[in-house]
Amino acid sequence: MFEQLVAIIGHLGNMLRPWAFDIATAMVVCLILVFSADVNRFIKRQLTGHSFFLRTLVFILINAFGYGLLIVKTTPWVARHIVAMPSHWMFLLIVSMFIFIGYWAQRNSQA
């Protein structure tokens, strides 16, 4: 029975393997979306009282370039690690990760 369950989960993992890069992108973007509210709130507090131009410039640098660079540089690394896993662990990691992200977003009232 246990071997059959592992085989089914492994098969599901093999079905996801061709989309590992897309899945990694979705994971990274979802994590950034969940945590960006906290980061932006912190930055906003740090920049209170500064000029509109500086606040806007920092917002653009962090949101456009910072998060964008993080997505571009982190996604291939995550995808490489996802593909390197055995299929059954890969499937379980992907499902667990999205459940965690959804739980975290719901807990912080972002969903």
Side-chain angles (χ1 to χ4, degrees), residues 1-104:
M1 177 68 181
F2 179 73
E3 292 81 20
Q4 290 174 334
L5 183 61
V6 171
I8 291 169
I9 292 172
H11 179 69
L12 293 171
N14 280 331
M15 290 173 58
L16 294 178
R17 197 167 290 282
W19 291 282
F21 191 84
D22 298 321
I23 292 167
T25 303
M27 277 185 193
V28 171
V29 170
C30 286
L31 282 170
I32 288 172
L33 285 173
V34 169
F35 291 108
S36 67
D38 296 330
V39 172
N40 288 342
R41 196 174 310 116
F42 173 78
I43 298 296
K44 185 177 180 180
R45 269 190 260 126
Q46 298 300 314
L47 294 176
T48 300
H50 288 83
S51 71
F52 171 78
F53 177 76
L54 178 65
R55 290 190 322 257
T56 304
L57 180 65
V58 169
F59 177 81
I60 291 168
L61 288 173
I62 289 174
N63 286 278
F65 299 107
Y67 295 145
L69 182 65
L70 189 63
I71 291 167
V72 168
K73 293 298 184 183
T74 307
T75 297
W77 180 82
V78 172
R80 275 194 309 275
H81 283 81
I82 287 174
V83 169
M85 297 178 123
S87 295
H88 58 283
W89 288 117
M90 182 184 81
F91 179 79
L92 292 173
L93 172 80
I94 290 168
V95 170
S96 299
M97 193 67 181
F98 282 113
I99 288 172
F100 167 76
I101 292 168
Y103 169 77
W104 190 269

